[in-house]
Amino acid sequence: MKCELCGKNEAKYKYYEVNSDSIRELNICEDCARKKGIAFRNKTTRVRTENSECLNCRLSFKEFKKMNKLGCPECYKAFREKLKIILAQIHPGIIHKGKKPIRDTRVLSAKKEIRELKRQLKKYVDLEDFEDAVKVRNKLQKCQEELKNLRGRND
């Protein structure tokens, strides 16, 4: 079968192009694969990689792959390059794409103060010190109103 990219050479490899809405399978030759940036390793390199081991605990990379657990902290150094590849497959990218972080530190400090005031209020109520409890309650209400205003500006 001929290479689907250049049409000249014999295709040796299957190459998958992934778009947001489809996956396209191509049969490509070695030259086109190299142009696409695909690195090839021969079998002896793969065997050497599988047999490499940590100098500290003597865990081999092959054993690590079976157990999915490293033996000691030195294993991270011993298998550094291979672990980079594995981790890149598990978590592609270094930018967090989860929840939107709170950018305004005033919101964080207001939340922290509210937690502290609630704790103080509970303490004063338990001690039946109602005069101080009223003062703390009033402060708490002001902080909650301030937090509400801060959130209104950030949204």
Side-chain angles (χ1 to χ4, degrees), residues 24-76:
R24 191 173 114 187
E25 181 184 309
L26 297 170
N27 294 304
I28 62 173
C29 66
E30 194 167 342
D31 291 339
C32 290
R34 288 189 201 288
K35 287 177 189 172
K36 288 275 188 188
I38 301 169
F40 298 100
R41 293 187 308 179
N42 58 24
K43 286 186 179 184
T44 57
T45 305
R46 197 174 309 132
V47 169
R48 236 183 289 131
T49 301
E50 296 290 317
N51 292 333
S52 65
E53 64 180 32
C54 173
L55 298 175
N56 188 46
C57 69
R58 297 291 186 215
L59 178 76
S60 73
F61 188 71
K62 189 175 185 177
E63 291 169 333
F64 158 70
K65 283 174 56 177
K66 282 182 189 174
M67 298 185 322
N68 283 328
K69 288 184 182 177
L70 295 171
C72 71
E74 293 299 314
C75 288
Y76 288 97

Side-chain angles (χ1 to χ4, degrees), residues 50-109:
E50 296 290 317
N51 292 333
S52 65
E53 64 180 32
C54 173
L55 298 175
N56 188 46
C57 69
R58 297 291 186 215
L59 178 76
S60 73
F61 188 71
K62 189 175 185 177
E63 291 169 333
F64 158 70
K65 283 174 56 177
K66 282 182 189 174
M67 298 185 322
N68 283 328
K69 288 184 182 177
L70 295 171
C72 71
E74 293 299 314
C75 288
Y76 288 97
K77 292 177 187 171
F79 306 132
R80 181 181 180 95
E81 294 305 314
K82 296 159 213 115
L83 289 174
K84 279 183 186 179
I85 295 167
I86 292 169
L87 292 174
Q89 292 170 348
I90 294 170
H91 191 298
I94 57 172
I95 298 172
H96 177 69
K97 295 185 180 178
K99 292 182 179 180
K100 177 180 158 188
I102 299 173
R103 300 215 187 274
D104 195 347
T105 57
R106 293 175 296 175
V107 172
L108 289 175
S109 60

Side-chain angles (χ1 to χ4, degrees), residues 1-3 6-13 27-30:
M1 177 183 296
K2 293 287 182 189
C3 174
C6 68
K8 299 176 189 172
N9 302 324
E10 192 66 29
K12 289 184 178 182
Y13 306 101
N27 294 304
I28 62 173
C29 66
E30 194 167 342

